[in-house]
Amino acid sequence: MSKLYFYYATMNAGKTTNLIQSKYNYEEQGMSPVVFTAAIDTRFGMNKITSRVGLSIDAISFDEDTNFLDALASMQLDCLFVDEAQFLNKRQVQELLKITYSRDVPVLCYGLRSDFKGELFEGSKYLLAWADKLQELKSICFCGKKATMNARLDKKGNKMKEGDQIAIEGATKYNVFCAKHFFVKG
Ligand SMILES: [Zn+2]
């Protein structure tokens, strides 16, 4: 029986690099993986995901209206990857879970656990609740401890407490911290 996987991390923990490497491994075995990414993330152009080390692959964009069962109905599918999976909604996580048993293919989701306020994203909440396998990808706080939190920084480098959950465009800066240094002032 195939499983739903959630690879969660902070920003800049190598999620996309990990996804691209894993997709390549499936292709090397002669399989046909399908990759989705959030339409919301247009840093590198639509229908493409690019890792920080410069690797780039094509992907199908999803938004809040995407029905994964319908979108994949007529596709050859041996394995499904979803990048930016924190942007999934509850219904879509249910659809991905259904794909693991109705199509009997593994579904590998990659995403952030929490937002810059320390709150769960909707997609991450249900993936953490329902995934068969959880795997944390590690990144490091300046203090040397594992980083678990994403801070959004203002122009002076201070952690921001207010704002929309999603702000990818433009000059928004983020840094990752352990929980202690996320909640400590400064
Ligand atoms: Zn720290």
Side-chain angles (χ1 to χ4, degrees):
M1 174 93 163
S2 296
K3 292 185 169 69
L4 177 62
Y5 298 82
F6 184 33
Y7 295 87
Y8 65 93
T10 60
M11 305 182 84
N12 301 334
K15 290 186 297 299
T16 302
T17 305
N18 195 295
L19 185 158
I20 292 172
Q21 175 66 47
S22 185
K23 173 181 179 269
Y24 178 78
N25 293 345
Y26 276 92
E27 285 172 332
E28 208 169 37
Q29 298 300 324
M31 294 195 236
S32 302
V34 174
V35 182
F36 278 84
T37 191
I40 219 159
D41 186 355
T42 55
R43 279 174 296 179
F44 305 105
M46 298 295 267
N47 304 317
K48 213 164 246 313
I49 60 176
T50 302
S51 72
R52 288 191 308 143
V53 294
L55 300 168
S56 182
I57 58 169
D58 291 334
I60 304 167
S61 295
F62 74 86
D63 61 25
E64 61 188 17
D65 296 323
T66 301
N67 180 308
F68 284 92
L69 300 172
D70 294 346
L72 291 160
S74 59
M75 268 188 227
Q76 163 84 20
L77 181 67
D78 295 323
C79 177
L80 178 60
F81 290 90
V82 181
D83 199 18
E84 306 292 353
Q86 69 273 14
F87 295 133
L88 295 164
N89 58 39
K90 181 179 182 180
R91 168 183 58 77
Q92 290 169 328
V93 179
Q94 285 172 325
E95 289 164 5
L96 296 177
L97 188 58
K98 190 167 182 187
I99 284 167
T100 65
Y101 57 80
S102 65
R103 302 281 297 261
D104 196 19
V105 298
V107 178
L108 290 77
C109 297
Y110 292 75
L112 300 175
R113 183 162 67 163
S114 57
D115 68 13
F116 78 100
K117 295 176 181 171
E119 303 291 335
L120 291 172
F121 286 92
E122 182 172 349
S124 311
K125 175 179 171 181
Y126 291 104
L127 284 164
L128 287 168
W130 299 340
D132 299 296
K133 291 268 186 187
L134 298 173
Q135 175 79 50
E136 185 171 30
L137 303 175
K138 305 240 172 30
S139 54
I140 303 292
C141 178
F142 70 87
C143 70
K145 281 183 68 177
K146 183 177 75 180
T148 52
M149 312 300 289
N150 303 294
R152 185 183 293 168
L153 306 179
D154 66 17
K155 288 197 172 70
K156 292 177 179 167
N158 297 314
K159 299 185 197 91
M160 296 173 68
K161 298 284 177 237
E162 301 299 325
D164 295 334
Q165 188 175 51
I166 301 166
I168 301 169
E169 307 281 343
T172 312
K173 284 204 164 37
Y174 291 89
N175 202 357
V176 299
F177 296 95
C178 69
K180 174 185 165 187
H181 288 119
F182 178 81
F183 287 109
V184 163
K185 194 175 184 309

